[in-house]
Amino acid sequence: MSETFDPREVIVAKRDGGRLSAAQIECFLGAYAKGELPDYQAAALLACVFLRGLDEGELIAWTRAMLDSGDRLDIEGLDRPRVDKHSTGGVGDKASIPLAPALAAAGLAVPMISGRGLGHTGGTLDKLEAIPGLRTELDVAAIAKQVREEGFCFAAQTPRLVPADKRLYALRDATGLVESIPLIASSIVSKKLAENLDALVLDVKFGSGSFLAELEQGAELARKMVGLAEPFGVRCCAVQSYMGRPLGRAVGHSLEIAESLSCLQGSGPPDLRELVLRLGAELLVLVGRATDVGAGARIIAGHLDDGSALEAFRRGAAAQGGDPAALDGTAGLPAAPDVLVVEAEGSGFLAFGNLRDVGRAAAQLGGGRLALGDTIDPAVGLVFLVEEGAAVDLGQPLVELHHRGGYGLDAARATLGRALQVSATAPEVPDLIAGSITCT
């Protein structure tokens, strides 16, 4: 850190609504990533950004400083386009798991750096680690080798990939500063830029199970991220998808892996397949492998239906240590010893209230974490037996609670009771995909 650099000047400038220079941002974030600034000064600047925002130039500089705080993923000798997908998170969101091998089967390279669940959302890494033996804590060399040989990789963020983001995100989470559009955008995009991508598709959720519930809030974030990727030479598209109901029927790690395997076999829940086809299609269009979204969807569907995506997943998961017995079906996956069926307490139509309560119910059974260090039980969770908007009768089974000896069962049932409603009139059920946003 330069002797002439005073972090207080940066904090005061943003506190008073001023515009930060690229040099100020670079010095501040670079020093924090190296441990040269205390958390309280970084938290103060984050709070000022949360309240004052960042303009376009500041946001680009902030993202570049985050990116430059560590290494980039360099995969030599790769003769296929590099692509990835990011979701803003939700309940039952398992689209990454069938999408990556389907894209690999279609001839693309997918270095998918994913995250873990926290609060009401599940994490892709946690779900994959329900497969016995599968390793996601890989170094950069192992990630590159896996992508070269298998076409895709599921891995955690390494200590040297955007370390500024890793520290800043933990600080934002601890200080209630997560829901800031510029901070969310720079966090997501900087990690994806570190993968040296050719194209990126963003699944931006809206609805009660998402972090930004309103459609226009999500659209604002989508536009910000798409515009942010462009100056760095990454073709980008954002798809807005509805998260007022779970994606698929299963919520819980092993249960979602089983559902992902069904999707990879050409079946499974229609909404999961629809989202996987759309996200894959957008990427194929971005890299010039499909003329339009319809053609791209047909390519992805072909790889799901002919078994090539499933075979790619089996090879890739096995290469990361996954037990082949768990990849040939569901018998090798952890299973909860007990199942309780919740029945309808009246007749009418099934509707969801606050979908976050569904995620919380799964966490209360032991299938989630409230803090990053918490241990999760991959076997527990929920399976919905009835779709949103369907007519139900008194006593009809609605949802299975997969639990272990009653752990958290009473709390989960109470929480789920707030999330599920049987109403006299059929609820309006929005389309899964509201639209997409691309560079202009």
Side-chain angles (χ1 to χ4, degrees):
M1 185 169 62
S2 168
E3 293 181 1
T4 61
F5 172 69
D6 186 345
R8 293 172 298 180
E9 294 179 0
V10 180
I11 296 167
V12 169
K14 181 49 65 176
R15 182 200 68 186
D16 294 342
R19 185 181 188 280
L20 302 182
S21 69
Q24 286 177 309
I25 292 170
E26 180 181 357
C27 285
F28 194 103
L29 295 188
Y32 182 64
K34 295 173 185 174
E36 296 173 353
L37 292 181
D39 284 344
Y40 61 79
Q41 286 187 314
L45 180 59
L46 288 172
C48 294
V49 171
F50 189 94
L51 296 171
R52 295 290 192 176
L54 296 171
D55 67 22
E56 182 178 354
E58 287 177 305
L59 183 57
I60 292 172
W62 188 282
T63 304
R64 191 180 302 280
M66 300 248 284
L67 179 62
D68 290 345
S69 69
D71 300 332
R72 303 192 192 195
L73 184 60
D74 185 18
I75 307 177
E76 296 179 353
L78 202 60
D79 60 355
R80 50 173 69 184
R82 273 178 284 198
V83 303
D84 199 1
K85 164 260 183 187
H86 180 84
S87 168
T88 55
V91 178
D93 183 11
K94 59 197 71 73
S96 293
I97 297 167
L99 176 63
L103 290 168
L108 306 185
V110 192
M112 190 171 281
I113 307 297
S114 300
R116 300 194 179 277
L118 191 63
H120 76 283
T121 64
T124 297
L125 298 180
D126 300 316
K127 296 169 189 179
L128 287 160
E129 288 173 356
I131 300 171
L134 193 142
R135 302 182 304 273
T136 61
E137 298 289 341
L138 307 176
D139 60 25
V140 169
I143 294 171
K145 180 177 185 292
Q146 172 88 2
V147 174
R148 275 196 305 269
E149 295 179 357
E150 305 299 340
F152 74 99
C153 181
F154 291 111
Q157 183 179 358
T158 73
R160 287 300 305 156
L161 282 178
V162 201
D165 171 70
K166 199 164 189 176
R167 295 198 67 194
L168 288 173
Y169 186 87
L171 195 57
R172 287 165 54 207
D173 184 56
T175 54
L177 300 173
V178 171
E179 283 116 337
S180 159
I181 284 179
L183 293 177
I184 292 171
S186 60
S187 174
I188 291 171
V189 173
S190 64
K191 287 195 288 285
K192 296 305 177 183
L193 292 174
E195 298 174 9
N196 279 323
L197 299 177
D198 296 302
L200 171 65
V201 66
L202 302 161
D203 180 10
V204 180
K205 306 292 190 183
F206 67 97
S208 65
S210 63
F211 285 103
L212 297 174
E214 298 300 321
L215 179 65
E216 182 48 42
Q217 282 184 306
E220 182 183 354
L221 174 61
R223 288 190 293 268
K224 190 77 71 176
M225 291 191 292
V226 169
L228 186 55
E230 189 175 19
F232 292 91
V234 177
R235 285 160 280 176
C236 186
C237 170
V239 172
Q240 286 192 269
S241 67
Y242 182 55
M243 187 40 71
R245 57 180 178 267
L247 182 64
R249 298 290 190 93
V251 180
H253 301 82
S254 285
L255 298 168
E256 292 188 49
I257 290 294
E259 198 163 66
S260 299
L261 288 169
S262 294
C263 182
L264 284 163
Q265 292 164 346
S267 58
D271 59 341
L272 174 59
R273 179 181 171 95
E274 179 185 354
L275 186 58
V276 169
L277 295 186
R278 180 59 179 268
L279 296 173
E282 295 285 2
L283 284 169
L284 288 171
V285 171
L286 287 172
V287 298
R289 294 292 182 91
T291 55
D292 55 43
V293 168
R298 288 190 291 274
I299 292 171
I300 299 297
H303 290 295
L304 295 177
D305 295 340
D306 69 8
S308 57
L310 177 61
E311 183 55 32
F313 179 73
R314 285 174 172 167
R315 289 195 311 268
Q320 290 187 227
D323 181 358
L327 304 175
D328 290 335
T330 60
L333 295 172
D338 306 294
V339 178
L340 174 73
V341 177
V342 176
E343 299 176 345
E345 297 181 354
S347 298
F349 300 88
L350 181 67
F352 285 100
N354 187 343
L355 190 65
R356 291 190 180 203
D357 283 329
V358 172
R360 293 187 184 108
Q364 287 166 332
L365 292 173
R369 55 170 65 88
L370 300 177
L372 282 173
D374 291 350
T375 300
I376 60 173
D377 184 344
V380 301
L382 304 86
V383 176
F384 289 90
L385 306 174
V386 178
E387 294 182 351
E388 181 185 23
V392 299
D393 297 321
L394 174 66
Q396 181 175 341
L398 298 181
V399 58
E400 296 174 348
L401 298 184
H402 293 241
H403 63 98
R404 191 176 298 278
Y407 178 86
L409 188 59
D410 290 342
R413 289 190 69 178
T415 302
L416 191 62
R418 297 194 298 269
L420 294 182
Q421 304 164 2
V422 176
S423 60
T425 57
E428 183 178 344
V429 181
D431 292 338
L432 174 65
I433 296 173
S436 60
I437 295 169
T438 57
C439 293
T440 55

